[in-house]
Amino acid sequence: MALIPGHVYFVRDEFFDLVQDPYLMQNKTTTKRPHYYAIKDRKTHLYWMIPCSSKIEKYQRIIERQKQRGHAVTTIKIETIAGRRFALLFQNMFPISEKYVTPYLRSGYPVRIGNPDTVLHLERTANQVIGMIRAGIQFTRYQPDALRIEKIMLEE
């Protein structure tokens, strides 16, 4: 199954069992969370999953604090997905192979970002952040070890 740009996905439990990263957002048993926005890595052909959080106020405060300090905020974006606002957490993104991904469907229809300009902007941001991760930049103390996960996915 090829992942479609603009669509939102879930990650299968088997992925978390395999990579054992303490900083990944684990699946909740009672709700459909977390869900992820996916972009394809042109270099490795893996997908990078960007966690989506409904805690908008929390992330708006973080964005404002960073801006007040004079920092550009490229690792958190607030966007509308299927009529609801979410914070996309680029600093927590990680690579995955498509076999561990399942589509997020609501009433039988895929959940997605409808605006193609937004999709393009998110892809650019994700590629920029992937480059920073590969350059060894760590955004938070609680950031998944994306390079280790990438190695595991490529070895499979």
Side-chain angles (χ1 to χ4, degrees), residues 78-136:
I78 310 254
E79 295 294 343
T80 301
I81 302 173
R84 291 188 56 211
R85 290 175 48 82
F86 289 94
L88 277 71
L89 308 176
F90 289 86
Q91 77 266 13
N92 291 50
M93 64 193 295
F94 58 90
I96 192 169
S97 71
E98 63 190 54
K99 76 179 190 178
Y100 295 108
V101 178
T102 183
Y104 182 178
L105 302 175
R106 194 181 291 158
S107 300
Y109 295 97
V111 173
R112 64 186 185 88
I113 295 174
N115 184 332
D117 292 333
T118 301
V119 170
L120 185 60
H121 174 70
L122 294 176
E123 264 192 47
R124 285 184 189 140
T125 300
N127 285 317
Q128 180 183 19
V129 172
I130 290 168
M132 289 189 277
I133 290 170
R134 288 197 174 123

Side-chain angles (χ1 to χ4, degrees), residues 56 59 63 65 78 83 85:
I56 300 300
Y59 291 105
I63 290 169
R65 219 177 359 225
I78 310 254
R85 290 175 48 82

Side-chain angles (χ1 to χ4, degrees), residues 9-21:
Y9 298 90
F10 295 112
V11 174
R12 299 177 194 272
D13 290 334
E14 297 81 21
F15 171 79
F16 299 109
D17 295 339
L18 174 67
V19 299
Q20 295 289 311
D21 190 300

Side-chain angles (χ1 to χ4, degrees), residues 20-81:
Q20 295 289 311
D21 190 300
Y23 300 121
L24 288 174
M25 298 169 75
Q26 299 291 316
N27 286 338
K28 309 285 187 221
T29 56
T30 57
T31 63
K32 292 212 172 249
R33 290 187 305 172
H35 53 275
Y36 301 87
Y37 182 76
I39 68 117
K40 188 166 188 172
D41 185 339
R42 288 176 240 143
K43 179 181 173 188
T44 64
H45 302 289
L46 293 173
Y47 290 90
W48 283 72
M49 305 304 278
I50 305 160
C52 302
S53 174
S54 60
K55 297 178 182 178
I56 300 300
E57 295 81 19
K58 172 185 175 179
Y59 291 105
Q60 282 178 325
R61 285 192 304 272
I62 292 170
I63 290 169
E64 286 306 314
R65 219 177 359 225
Q66 293 295 333
K67 285 181 179 178
Q68 288 172 358
R69 294 179 182 158
H71 298 240
V73 182
T74 57
T75 60
I76 302 170
K77 301 284 183 196
I78 310 254
E79 295 294 343
T80 301
I81 302 173

